[in-house]
Each structure stands twice: as C-alpha cells, then as structure tokens.
Amino acid sequence: MKLGRLFRKRLLPAFLLSVSLGASLAATPALAQEQGELRIATSYKLMTLDPHYANLNENTSLLSHIYERLVYQDEGLELKPGLASSWRALSSTHWEFKLRDGVRFHDGSVFDAEDVVYSIARIRDFLKPPSGGFRSSVSGIKAVSAPDPLTVVIETNVAAPTLPLTFSSIFIMNKPADGFETTEALNSGAAPNGTGPYKFASWSSGENLRLVRNDAYWGGKPAWLKVTFRVIESPAARVAGLSTGEVDVADAIPARDVDGLKQRGAWIASVGAARINFVQFDVARDTLPGVTDKSGEPIANPFKNPQVRRALALATDRGILADKILAGYGTAASQVFPTGLPGTSAKLLPEAPDFEQAKALLAKAGYPDGFNLVLAGPAGRYPGDAESLQAIAQSWARIGINARPSTAPFSVFNTKRASGDYAVWYGGTSGEAVDIILRALLASPNKDRGTGALNFGKYQNVAFDEMLTRAESIAVGPERNAALASATELVMADQPIIPLYHFHHIVGYGPRIGSYVMHPRGWTTAMQTLAATE
C-alpha cells in the first residue's frame, strides 16, 4: 500500500492523531547498525507468510510490506486506490476494477488481472483455514473475469454495494504456473512474491521478520533500506528496547509507561482505535448463571428489561475508565466507532454517570434493592481490561448491584462465553467499517445473512435489522453513512450493550525517526515511519 506517500501529502484529522514531543533519547548504544535500517519492536507475532490464511492484525499489518490490496483505507478509513486505479458499479451485482499499469512483482513478473482472479479463487475455492480466513469476504462472489490485462469484472450473487471495501482487506498474490500455492509451501522459506514496497529477506516465527527495500516499487522508492521487526511480546521489554535505543520504534506502548518514556526523551504518537470495548448482556434466556437476589436465590433474567440495561449504563463511569485506567489514552464511547469516522452519529455522545436516575430506573423495573451478578471478562487481552471490570463493579455498587468481577485468559473466556457460561461480560471488537461491527455485534443472529457472529447475548431488534439492511444496500458515501448513523441511534437507545471506550493505539519512537503516522486500524508498518532529517 502507498501509506507513506499519501501520509506525506495530507494532514491527519484532529480527532485521530495526537503527537507528544520530547527531547532526544540518549545516544544510541554503540551497536553495529547499517545506515538506513529501521528497527521496530512489535507486539505482533506473525503466524504465517500466507497472506490469505488468517484475518488477524498481526498478519495483515506485517505482510502489507510485501503484498498489496486493490483498495486500501486511509487514516480516515476512506477508500483509496491501491493496485486498482479506479472502480465502478456496472449494475447492482457487477463491479469493474481498473488495475494500475506498470506494476511488477518482486520477481519481476508483471501484475495483471489474472493475479486478481487467482487470489479470489484461492481464498474462495482452495484454502480451508481453521478460522475461515478471508473466505466470508468472497463467499458471495459468483464469478470473476478478466476482459483484458488491466480490467477485472466481478459478479456477485446478490447486490454488493460495498464490494470495494471488501478488497481493502484482501492481498493480491502472483498467479503461479500451475494450481494453487499451499500455506505449507509459503511457510517453507521460499521468498513471498508480492508487489509491495519491501521484499522478503527472512522470517523466524515468533522472533523476527526482515525486509529489504523494493527499489522498483511503483509508488516510489521506500524510505528505508532495510526493516527488521523484532517480536517482543512483553510490553516492558518493548519499552526498555526503545529507552536504550536498541529499537527505533515500539508499538502497543502501555499508557502507564508514556510519561516515563517522554521523560527519557521518546516521542509518542497515539490514535483512537477503530474498535469498541463494551459490556454485553444475555437478553435471551429466562434465567442466567450467577444472577441472584441479595439472598442468593436465582431470579428471572433482569437484562430482558431495557430499563435495567439503561440503569447499568447510567451507573457506568466511562470517565474513570478512559482518564484513569487508560491514563487519558482512551476515548469514552457512545457507539461502535469513535465519533467522526464514517457511519458514526454526531448525536451520540458519551454520558456522565447519573446514579440517582439509575436507581430510579432499577426500582421502576422491580429491583429497588438491586441484585447480584458475576461480571466476566478476559485478562490481558485489551488495555485495562481487568482494571475496567473492577471499576465498573465499584460504580454499579452505588445503585445496589453487587457485581463480582471474574477474569480468565482470553482463550478460556472466549470458550465459556460461547458456551453460555456468562450472564454479562466485557468484550471488544474491531472491523473495517461501522456496519461490519453492527452486523456482527448487534444484528439478530442469522446464519443465512451472516449476521450476529458476536451477538452472544442473542439480542434481536427487527426495526434495527431492517434499518441496517437498508443502509447496507446503499453505495459507500454520505447517504450510506447517514443511514448507518440513524440505525446506530435507534439500537443504542435500546442499550443492548454499554459502550465503554475506544482505547488508543500508542507508539513510541526515537531520535532517528522524524514522524510516525498513526492509523486507527492499529497497523505497525515501515510506511508509517519517516526518517529524521538533519
């Protein structure tokens, strides 16, 4: 993708980017370092060199140096040309993509329409990864044709007004002479062959990824001669590496370490994440595990009553979560994306807690004395997750809700949540666009429509489903954004979840870096990193 070039040309929206400057770091240790080498300490552990195997940030972020997409999302999540120079709808079920001329793969072969046809077919018809990979993104594609080397026509089974958005996630591979490349072959050590700004040098799973500059890159010569990603899963170790000058950039900096890094001369960049952390309720079952009256006797599911859900939302102090637990590197939430991004509502603003009104609503719902519950959540999955559960429980106690926080490793938590072991829980999710999260988190579960994958509480709202379906039928643009905002306003009034915060992605960088451009998707790339100039 040409992130670096575009980022140089335009200013970032104020609501997305904040950069804090400090004095220079202490002199870099006398380590052997080649001029023009960028060293990044990353929390992302690349699991495969197969760009189609898993739709995970750790893969898509790192592999974006090697492979590119037809379309990509800029720092405002707007669609921009990538390997496709333009696109248009020929009908409700037919799209035409015009490809960029003069692009070559790292082995020198010419990029053309057959590579796009191959990449779609590989995902849809060949790969069968455990998680499904990107298959859901292309399962609705009926046919793909290449009328000429620089034109691709895609036919879908049903109307697909957001098909270009789909291709902002899918990497394009070089079509081999025969058959499909297997994941095993791609991971065997042979150099991946993409069109991106950097070429593959070496990879040690769980340790590092080394890249070299692609001097023939169609978007202009990249900034760095070499790039080394060091996988450092410990936040403290990443912070230490940046502090000593062993690395130039460190991602996923804990908010608690920001002030210390600034005092040691690091620069800090942050951005509100295109994601939501929330409390979700089971609204379907008649009785729930862990929910009792004050004497410990089971009671009917209180979360079926929207007044109870609303009361708990009013008793949640988002300010403490964002300002104290996240040390200011979080934004109190009122909807699924930070306000201002496409599809969000300007009318929905975070509320200050109102404990008296919350008590009144509980009493009106038939719970004047409150009740007991277990508030579940993962430990260590998200910034401030365990601490957030404690703070929420303390806030709810003020209206008579005795909430006992219960945390578990994410793998355990995820299994138990899917099995129905929880009544109310803390969670988080992200996506390419507002409607993707709305479909997964709040739309009624429906396998045929592919909705409700993350709606573990089995919430259903027919009016919202209809509004969301209508919004999804509109082409990407202002009208679609307005329709999504209206649907969000309707569903949030029913309080199926309590939006908590959008945590910030935080990156630190040292004196060799002139600037680091943040992206709300949480990518960590060399293309976002510009060298300091003397």
PDB file of all heavy atoms in Angstrom, residues 313-319 351-356 395 398:
ATOM      1  N   ALA A 313     -26.117   1.239  32.384  1.00  0.00           N
ATOM      2  CA  ALA A 313     -25.353   2.168  31.549  1.00  0.00           C
ATOM      3  C   ALA A 313     -25.187   3.514  32.246  1.00  0.00           C
ATOM      4  O   ALA A 313     -24.096   4.109  32.227  1.00  0.00           O
ATOM      5  CB  ALA A 313     -26.041   2.346  30.202  1.00  0.00           C
ATOM      6  N   LEU A 314     -26.257   3.992  32.893  1.00  0.00           N
ATOM      7  CA  LEU A 314     -26.184   5.265  33.597  1.00  0.00           C
ATOM      8  C   LEU A 314     -25.284   5.192  34.824  1.00  0.00           C
ATOM      9  O   LEU A 314     -24.782   6.223  35.296  1.00  0.00           O
ATOM     10  CB  LEU A 314     -27.593   5.711  34.017  1.00  0.00           C
ATOM     11  CG  LEU A 314     -28.475   6.279  32.907  1.00  0.00           C
ATOM     12  CD1 LEU A 314     -29.900   6.431  33.391  1.00  0.00           C
ATOM     13  CD2 LEU A 314     -27.925   7.625  32.428  1.00  0.00           C
ATOM     14  N   ALA A 315     -25.085   3.999  35.342  1.00  0.00           N
ATOM     15  CA  ALA A 315     -24.234   3.822  36.525  1.00  0.00           C
ATOM     16  C   ALA A 315     -22.801   3.471  36.154  1.00  0.00           C
ATOM     17  O   ALA A 315     -22.012   3.111  37.029  1.00  0.00           O
ATOM     18  CB  ALA A 315     -24.829   2.740  37.423  1.00  0.00           C
ATOM     19  N   THR A 316     -22.434   3.566  34.888  1.00  0.00           N
ATOM     20  CA  THR A 316     -21.076   3.253  34.433  1.00  0.00           C
ATOM     21  C   THR A 316     -20.297   4.541  34.212  1.00  0.00           C
ATOM     22  O   THR A 316     -20.692   5.378  33.396  1.00  0.00           O
ATOM     23  CB  THR A 316     -21.117   2.433  33.127  1.00  0.00           C
ATOM     24  OG1 THR A 316     -21.855   1.230  33.346  1.00  0.00           O
ATOM     25  CG2 THR A 316     -19.715   2.092  32.667  1.00  0.00           C
ATOM     26  N   ASP A 317     -19.222   4.706  34.947  1.00  0.00           N
ATOM     27  CA  ASP A 317     -18.412   5.917  34.845  1.00  0.00           C
ATOM     28  C   ASP A 317     -17.321   5.719  33.802  1.00  0.00           C
ATOM     29  O   ASP A 317     -16.226   5.217  34.087  1.00  0.00           O
ATOM     30  CB  ASP A 317     -17.798   6.243  36.209  1.00  0.00           C
ATOM     31  CG  ASP A 317     -17.198   7.651  36.251  1.00  0.00           C
ATOM     32  OD1 ASP A 317     -16.856   8.166  35.176  1.00  0.00           O
ATOM     33  OD2 ASP A 317     -17.075   8.203  37.360  1.00  0.00           O
ATOM     34  N   ARG A 318     -17.625   6.110  32.569  1.00  0.00           N
ATOM     35  CA  ARG A 318     -16.663   5.947  31.481  1.00  0.00           C
ATOM     36  C   ARG A 318     -15.437   6.842  31.648  1.00  0.00           C
ATOM     37  O   ARG A 318     -14.353   6.528  31.162  1.00  0.00           O
ATOM     38  CB  ARG A 318     -17.340   6.240  30.137  1.00  0.00           C
ATOM     39  CG  ARG A 318     -18.476   5.284  29.795  1.00  0.00           C
ATOM     40  CD  ARG A 318     -19.290   5.827  28.608  1.00  0.00           C
ATOM     41  NE  ARG A 318     -20.349   4.947  28.207  1.00  0.00           N
ATOM     42  CZ  ARG A 318     -21.548   4.916  28.800  1.00  0.00           C
ATOM     43  NH1 ARG A 318     -21.786   5.700  29.852  1.00  0.00           N
ATOM     44  NH2 ARG A 318     -22.489   4.098  28.369  1.00  0.00           N
ATOM     45  N   GLY A 319     -15.640   7.976  32.326  1.00  0.00           N
ATOM     46  CA  GLY A 319     -14.527   8.893  32.538  1.00  0.00           C
ATOM     47  C   GLY A 319     -13.407   8.262  33.333  1.00  0.00           C
ATOM     48  O   GLY A 319     -12.226   8.457  33.028  1.00  0.00           O
ATOM     49  N   GLU A 351     -22.086   9.727  28.012  1.00  0.00           N
ATOM     50  CA  GLU A 351     -22.843  10.315  29.117  1.00  0.00           C
ATOM     51  C   GLU A 351     -22.061  10.230  30.419  1.00  0.00           C
ATOM     52  O   GLU A 351     -21.379   9.242  30.679  1.00  0.00           O
ATOM     53  CB  GLU A 351     -24.171   9.572  29.300  1.00  0.00           C
ATOM     54  CG  GLU A 351     -25.120   9.677  28.129  1.00  0.00           C
ATOM     55  CD  GLU A 351     -26.379   8.875  28.376  1.00  0.00           C
ATOM     56  OE1 GLU A 351     -26.270   7.651  28.573  1.00  0.00           O
ATOM     57  OE2 GLU A 351     -27.463   9.481  28.393  1.00  0.00           O
ATOM     58  N   ALA A 352     -22.204  11.263  31.222  1.00  0.00           N
ATOM     59  CA  ALA A 352     -21.685  11.205  32.588  1.00  0.00           C
ATOM     60  C   ALA A 352     -22.607  10.315  33.410  1.00  0.00           C
ATOM     61  O   ALA A 352     -23.807  10.203  33.114  1.00  0.00           O
ATOM     62  CB  ALA A 352     -21.629  12.600  33.184  1.00  0.00           C
ATOM     63  N   PRO A 353     -22.088   9.645  34.425  1.00  0.00           N
ATOM     64  CA  PRO A 353     -22.957   8.777  35.234  1.00  0.00           C
ATOM     65  C   PRO A 353     -24.024   9.583  35.970  1.00  0.00           C
ATOM     66  O   PRO A 353     -23.791  10.722  36.375  1.00  0.00           O
ATOM     67  CB  PRO A 353     -21.975   8.120  36.211  1.00  0.00           C
ATOM     68  CG  PRO A 353     -20.790   9.034  36.261  1.00  0.00           C
ATOM     69  CD  PRO A 353     -20.691   9.629  34.898  1.00  0.00           C
ATOM     70  N   ASP A 354     -25.196   8.975  36.104  1.00  0.00           N
ATOM     71  CA  ASP A 354     -26.309   9.576  36.852  1.00  0.00           C
ATOM     72  C   ASP A 354     -26.866   8.486  37.758  1.00  0.00           C
ATOM     73  O   ASP A 354     -27.774   7.734  37.372  1.00  0.00           O
ATOM     74  CB  ASP A 354     -27.376  10.096  35.894  1.00  0.00           C
ATOM     75  CG  ASP A 354     -28.458  10.908  36.591  1.00  0.00           C
ATOM     76  OD1 ASP A 354     -28.712  10.635  37.781  1.00  0.00           O
ATOM     77  OD2 ASP A 354     -29.063  11.783  35.956  1.00  0.00           O
ATOM     78  N   PHE A 355     -26.310   8.378  38.951  1.00  0.00           N
ATOM     79  CA  PHE A 355     -26.648   7.272  39.842  1.00  0.00           C
ATOM     80  C   PHE A 355     -28.078   7.373  40.366  1.00  0.00           C
ATOM     81  O   PHE A 355     -28.742   6.340  40.556  1.00  0.00           O
ATOM     82  CB  PHE A 355     -25.642   7.217  40.990  1.00  0.00           C
ATOM     83  CG  PHE A 355     -24.234   6.951  40.535  1.00  0.00           C
ATOM     84  CD1 PHE A 355     -23.289   7.967  40.525  1.00  0.00           C
ATOM     85  CD2 PHE A 355     -23.867   5.699  40.072  1.00  0.00           C
ATOM     86  CE1 PHE A 355     -21.998   7.730  40.090  1.00  0.00           C
ATOM     87  CE2 PHE A 355     -22.572   5.445  39.637  1.00  0.00           C
ATOM     88  CZ  PHE A 355     -21.635   6.464  39.645  1.00  0.00           C
ATOM     89  N   GLU A 356     -28.570   8.579  40.586  1.00  0.00           N
ATOM     90  CA  GLU A 356     -29.940   8.715  41.093  1.00  0.00           C
ATOM     91  C   GLU A 356     -30.954   8.260  40.047  1.00  0.00           C
ATOM     92  O   GLU A 356     -31.918   7.558  40.358  1.00  0.00           O
ATOM     93  CB  GLU A 356     -30.206  10.163  41.507  1.00  0.00           C
ATOM     94  CG  GLU A 356     -29.412  10.607  42.719  1.00  0.00           C
ATOM     95  CD  GLU A 356     -29.625   9.679  43.903  1.00  0.00           C
ATOM     96  OE1 GLU A 356     -30.796   9.324  44.183  1.00  0.00           O
ATOM     97  OE2 GLU A 356     -28.624   9.294  44.541  1.00  0.00           O
ATOM     98  N   SER A 395     -18.681   1.088  40.429  1.00  0.00           N
ATOM     99  CA  SER A 395     -19.724   2.038  40.036  1.00  0.00           C
ATOM    100  C   SER A 395     -21.113   1.440  40.224  1.00  0.00           C
ATOM    101  O   SER A 395     -22.025   2.095  40.747  1.00  0.00           O
ATOM    102  CB  SER A 395     -19.530   2.465  38.576  1.00  0.00           C
ATOM    103  OG  SER A 395     -18.371   3.259  38.405  1.00  0.00           O
ATOM    104  N   ARG A 398     -22.946   1.372  43.614  1.00  0.00           N
ATOM    105  CA  ARG A 398     -23.596   2.590  44.091  1.00  0.00           C
ATOM    106  C   ARG A 398     -25.101   2.585  43.831  1.00  0.00           C
ATOM    107  O   ARG A 398     -25.830   3.405  44.383  1.00  0.00           O
ATOM    108  CB  ARG A 398     -22.947   3.815  43.459  1.00  0.00           C
ATOM    109  CG  ARG A 398     -21.486   3.986  43.835  1.00  0.00           C
ATOM    110  CD  ARG A 398     -20.866   5.218  43.236  1.00  0.00           C
ATOM    111  NE  ARG A 398     -21.535   6.449  43.653  1.00  0.00           N
ATOM    112  CZ  ARG A 398     -21.110   7.671  43.342  1.00  0.00           C
ATOM    113  NH1 ARG A 398     -19.990   7.810  42.613  1.00  0.00           N
ATOM    114  NH2 ARG A 398     -21.764   8.743  43.737  1.00  0.00           N
TER     115      ARG A 398
END
